[in-house]
């Protein structure tokens, strides 16, 4: 039987805005095997970010079930799910989510400290990750001193310095030029292959899709194209 890391069944997510209800996900079945890199594609508003938020425990589905790394996320309370994410999920957020008063190195090192990585390893891991995304010479710069693309690379470095079992990345190349985006994605691909990380990436970038094992397409909160999904059910 396949080693399934993410098993989402009949997942819906409905947001309430005043008297209106907005359906972000309309009944999604989504499964990802260990060591897969899956690209989730679709137009803006199709539900990509909502799906990523639900499978990473940042958001709760309205209905349906999600099991990730053997844990039923619905069974976790608010404190428990924070602890679960800290141990199991690495994030590359679309808005980067860097700490403004910390340098690039300190942002990466802080994430390692929060995950409980021992002090003796943190410095080397942080420097290695920044070097891998081409930012070795920018390690002492704060986010305000960096371009949007450089901030995005810091966010990637933070996620790969000591990879968690599950990597969730929302538009990880959106602010990068073509060559830099390809270099960053090749490194992410190598991390997945080397460490057995499972990665789910929301993207509009066809170069990202080319490096993925599988592409899942969303439209109006529904999966409209998910090649080879049946082999993990």
């Amino acid at each position: 039987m396949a080693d399934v890391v993410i098993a989402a069944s009949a997942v819906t997510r409905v947001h309430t805005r005043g008297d209106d209800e907005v359906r972000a996900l309309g009944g999604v079945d989504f499964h990802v095997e260990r060591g897969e890199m899956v690209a989730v594609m679709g137009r803006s508003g199709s539900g990509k970010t909502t799906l990523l938020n639900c499978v990473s425990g940042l958001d709760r589905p309205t209905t349906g079930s999600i099991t990730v790394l053997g844990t039923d996320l619905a069974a976790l309370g608010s404190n428990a799910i924070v602890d679960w994410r800290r141990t199991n999920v690495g994030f590359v957020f679309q808005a980067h989510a860097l700490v403004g008063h910390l340098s690039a190195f300190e942002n990466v090192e802080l994430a390692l400290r929060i995950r409980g990585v021992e002090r003796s390893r943190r410095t080397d891991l942080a420097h290695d990750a920044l070097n891998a995304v081409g930012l070795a010479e920018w390690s002492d710069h704060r986010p305000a001193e960096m371009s949007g693309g450089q901030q995005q690379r810091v966010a990637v470095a933070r996620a790969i310095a000591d990879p968690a079992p599950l990597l969730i990345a929302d538009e990880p190349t959106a602010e990068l030029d073509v060559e830099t985006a390809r270099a960053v994605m090749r490194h992410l691909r190598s991390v997945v292959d080397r460490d057995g990380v499972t990665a789910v990436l929301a993207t509009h970038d066809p170069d990202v899709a080319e490096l993925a094992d599988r592409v899942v397409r969303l439209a109006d909160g529904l999966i409209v194209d998910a090649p080879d999904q049946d082999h993990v059910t």
Side-chain angles (χ1 to χ4, degrees), residues 62-144:
T62 304
T63 60
S65 65
I66 301 176
T67 300
V68 182
L69 294 162
T71 297
D72 178 0
L73 298 190
L76 299 179
S78 56
N79 291 330
I81 205 162
V82 169
D83 291 338
W84 178 86
R85 285 198 304 266
R86 182 183 299 122
T87 302
N88 292 290
V89 188
F91 291 96
V92 181
F93 295 105
Q94 192 169 2
H96 314 320
L98 302 178
V99 181
H101 67 274
L102 298 182
S103 68
F105 169 82
E106 289 166 337
N107 267 278
V108 178
E109 194 270 343
L110 175 62
L112 294 169
R113 194 187 319 166
I114 290 171
R115 287 199 63 215
V117 176
E118 55 270 28
R119 178 180 294 184
S120 61
R121 297 179 60 224
R122 292 200 299 257
T123 296
D124 287 344
L125 287 173
H127 281 307
D128 288 348
L130 287 167
N131 183 60
V133 297
L135 289 178
E137 296 181 358
W138 289 82
S139 63
D140 293 331
H141 289 70
R142 292 181 174 85

Side-chain angles (χ1 to χ4, degrees), residues 11-16 22-27 50 54 59-63:
V11 170
T12 71
R13 183 66 176 99
V14 178
H15 301 287
T16 301
V22 178
R23 186 190 70 175
L25 295 174
T50 301
C54 286
D59 196 3
R60 304 270 191 179
T62 304
T63 60

Side-chain angles (χ1 to χ4, degrees), residues 11-53:
V11 170
T12 71
R13 183 66 176 99
V14 178
H15 301 287
T16 301
R17 297 177 183 171
D19 295 330
D20 297 327
E21 290 188 342
V22 178
R23 186 190 70 175
L25 295 174
V28 170
D29 295 320
F30 180 66
H31 301 82
V32 182
E33 291 182 13
R34 188 175 306 277
E36 266 197 303
M37 177 184 282
V38 175
V40 180
M41 303 190 76
R43 294 178 180 272
S44 295
S46 62
K48 300 188 303 298
T49 296
T50 301
L51 178 60
L52 265 60
N53 287 347

Side-chain angles (χ1 to χ4, degrees), residues 10 24 85 98 110 116 121-122 179 186 191 211-212 216-217 220 228:
R85 285 198 304 266
L98 302 178
L110 175 62
R121 297 179 60 224
R122 292 200 299 257
E179 289 306 314
R186 283 195 294 267
V191 168
L211 286 172
V216 172
R217 299 186 186 276
D220 298 325
D228 301 326

